[in-house]
Amino acid sequence: MELPITVSVLLTREDYIHYVAERRRQVRRGQLPLWEIAGSLIMILGLAGWFWGDRIGLMPQAAGCIVVCGLFFVLYRSLMAPVMDRMEASTVYDEKKELQLASTYRFGQDGISVQNGFMEGLLPYEAVTSFTNTRELIGLAFGREAQVVVPKKLLNQEQLSWITQTVSQYLPDHS
Amino acid sequence: MPKSTSPKCEFSADITLEQYIQGCLYHARLAGRLRNALGMLALGAVLLTGGMVALLQFLQRSYAYSLLWLSVLLGFLGIALPFVYLVANTSAVRKQAVADFKVFQKLMQPMTVRFYEDQVDTVSEHLTLHDQYALMARCMETRDFFLLIKDRDRFLLIPKDQLPDQKRAAMEEFLRMVFARRYRKMNSLIL
């Protein structure tokens, strides 16, 4: 494997939106389903109110509202959150000027050399906090300091395997 | 990016964990997950008022129990929504800040900050960052530090006590002037 692996990347809006949505989806997958549990409880209460609400002066319409509220909680993470993630990613792409500039990344033995109009230097693999590997791109986050997103079409299979293996060795347990 | 002019001010900055957490909280308040804090408090006040009105209606009219349930629901939401929003988000920002500080220490500490007329350079062992004032989102000042907000994720924290003594007043005035309408002074996390 010849090092460094050098790629020049100009990220498109669609690439970035896909990256953010996929990263958030991975984060959500590791979380407890609190929204769904809360929503289910609210729906059960609403359905109970629908059938027996007259005993406590609860109108069927109000019980229906409670069921709808519960349904919102149940569906939030699976249906609404991804849409909101994509909308937010689109806004962030506009805000972050460095995403709209070409960046040169050199994947070496110790880390990734970065050069663009905003940043230059070496991002050591030990500082990687998360690694996102999707069908179309790979993304590495270094806390809130930097992120490296590379479309897979710029890498061959051997390069991709080397990067994935190398980064995986340094990944913290929680990512 | 080589600069032809010399910096207006150059100093070494050493950010502590507590300062970094404060920076993250203020950043979240202005550009992150706490940015809707005021709106949430206002929503809580509106819901509470609605709950009070419903309770008064219940007491003054025919004791319709739907009004009582409505007042309980609105009162609960009026208190719970802002409370959960503020407590959960503040706690999440603090937790994330502790994790991010480790990366910040690896990548950016110790760092030298150089203020030029049109941009600020941050130089550490690993990275050199160039940030033009014109492309930064906001500048926020508290009693202890300046926070230059680059975007939704990144910021540059300038502790006032680490500015060179002889240039401190001039630099503070310079930052207030450069950011003009994007400048904001905050006395607390809410206002």
Side-chain angles (χ1 to χ4, degrees):
Chain A
M1 180 73 237
E2 193 177 326
L3 292 177
I5 300 165
T6 304
V7 285
S8 183
V9 178
L10 180 55
L11 208 60
T12 64
R13 178 190 299 274
E14 288 70 27
D15 284 340
Y16 185 71
I17 289 173
H18 173 73
Y19 165 68
V20 172
E22 195 60 28
R23 197 175 146 196
R24 296 269 176 88
R25 196 174 66 84
Q26 286 182 8
V27 170
R28 273 197 296 273
R29 205 188 295 157
Q31 291 173 339
L32 287 172
L34 292 177
W35 282 81
E36 288 79 0
I37 292 170
S40 304
L41 287 175
I42 293 171
M43 280 180 75
I44 290 168
L45 286 176
L47 288 171
W50 182 279
F51 292 110
W52 298 291
D54 53 339
R55 295 183 187 179
I56 54 170
L58 186 70
M59 289 186 294
Q61 292 91 331
C65 288
I66 294 173
V67 173
V68 171
C69 179
L71 194 63
F72 171 82
F73 276 83
V74 169
L75 296 179
Y76 175 76
R77 293 205 312 176
S78 55
L79 284 184
M80 284 163 238
V83 176
M84 288 163 73
D85 288 345
R86 287 176 173 274
M87 285 164 61
E88 190 189 340
S90 178
T91 312
V92 171
Y93 183 82
D94 289 334
E95 284 176 6
K96 289 190 173 186
K97 303 299 174 198
E98 75 267 25
L99 290 175
Q100 299 158 32
L101 285 180
S103 300
T104 304
Y105 302 123
R106 289 188 183 85
F107 292 82
Q109 221 38 273
D110 305 321
I112 307 165
S113 292
V114 184
Q115 190 168 21
N116 59 35
F118 288 85
M119 176 191 290
E120 63 221 21
L122 180 82
L123 297 166
Y125 293 123
E126 302 98 74
V128 172
T129 51
S130 78
F131 178 55
T132 308
N133 191 354
T134 76
R135 200 158 44 89
E136 292 168 25
L137 48 84
I138 53 169
L140 296 96
F142 296 79
R144 60 168 71 215
E145 303 306 320
Q147 55 188 352
V148 173
V149 184
V150 181
K152 282 184 175 175
K153 61 190 172 195
L154 300 178
L155 301 163
N156 62 36
Q157 195 53 49
E158 191 186 9
Q159 292 172 329
L160 195 57
S161 303
W162 186 87
I163 292 171
T164 308
Q165 273 182 4
T166 307
V167 173
S168 300
Q169 292 168 16
Y170 292 96
L171 273 178
D173 292 338
H174 63 268
S175 62
Chain B
M1 190 183 294
K3 296 290 292 185
S4 56
T5 56
S6 57
K8 282 176 72 72
C9 176
E10 176 176 344
F11 64 97
S12 296
D14 187 17
I15 312 294
T16 64
L17 174 61
E18 194 45 47
Q19 286 173 327
Y20 191 81
I21 291 174
Q22 285 299 310
C24 286
L25 284 170
Y26 278 97
H27 174 269
R29 171 68 186 89
L30 288 182
R33 56 198 301 172
L34 283 169
R35 65 183 179 277
N36 296 321
L38 268 184
M40 212 36 127
L41 287 175
L43 177 66
V46 169
L47 288 171
L48 268 180
T49 309
M52 295 293 282
V53 170
L55 186 62
L56 285 175
Q57 292 286 316
F58 168 74
L59 293 172
Q60 286 171 359
R61 286 216 215 152
S62 59
Y63 290 93
Y65 279 96
S66 287
L67 282 173
L68 181 63
W69 287 113
L70 184 65
S71 70
V72 170
L73 181 67
L74 290 179
F76 172 74
L77 288 177
I79 294 169
L81 277 181
F83 182 78
V84 169
Y85 177 86
L86 289 175
V87 172
N89 281 322
T90 305
S91 159
V93 170
R94 278 182 176 276
K95 192 176 164 194
Q96 188 62 48
V98 172
D100 289 342
F101 184 69
K102 290 176 190 160
V103 179
F104 176 74
Q105 271 192 312
K106 268 184 203 156
L107 291 181
M108 298 307 299
Q109 299 251 67
M111 65 181 180
T112 303
V113 181
R114 295 190 188 116
F115 283 102
Y116 294 91
E117 285 293 339
D118 57 347
Q119 74 174 38
V120 55
D121 286 1
T122 317
V123 183
S124 72
E125 184 194 340
H126 285 295
L127 290 176
T128 301
L129 309 178
H130 313 283
D131 294 292
Q132 294 178 33
Y133 307 128
L135 296 181
M136 286 183 166
R138 302 188 82 156
C139 169
M140 196 271 304
E141 179 184 0
T142 69
R143 198 168 48 111
D144 301 321
F145 57 80
F146 280 92
L147 194 72
L148 309 188
I149 296 175
K150 301 175 185 181
D151 52 47
R152 289 188 192 205
D153 296 322
R154 298 176 309 132
F155 60 81
L156 175 60
L157 184 73
I158 312 286
K160 287 181 180 176
D161 59 3
Q162 293 184 23
L163 287 166
D165 285 341
Q166 66 277 20
K167 291 184 177 174
R168 184 177 303 164
M171 273 314 299
E172 289 180 3
E173 199 48 47
F174 172 74
L175 287 172
R176 288 176 197 130
M177 192 193 69
V178 159
F179 285 92
R181 293 171 71 166
R182 288 170 293 152
Y183 165 82
R184 180 170 174 185
K185 182 155 185 154
M186 291 183 78
N187 297 316
S188 71
L189 203 52
I190 299 296
L191 292 172

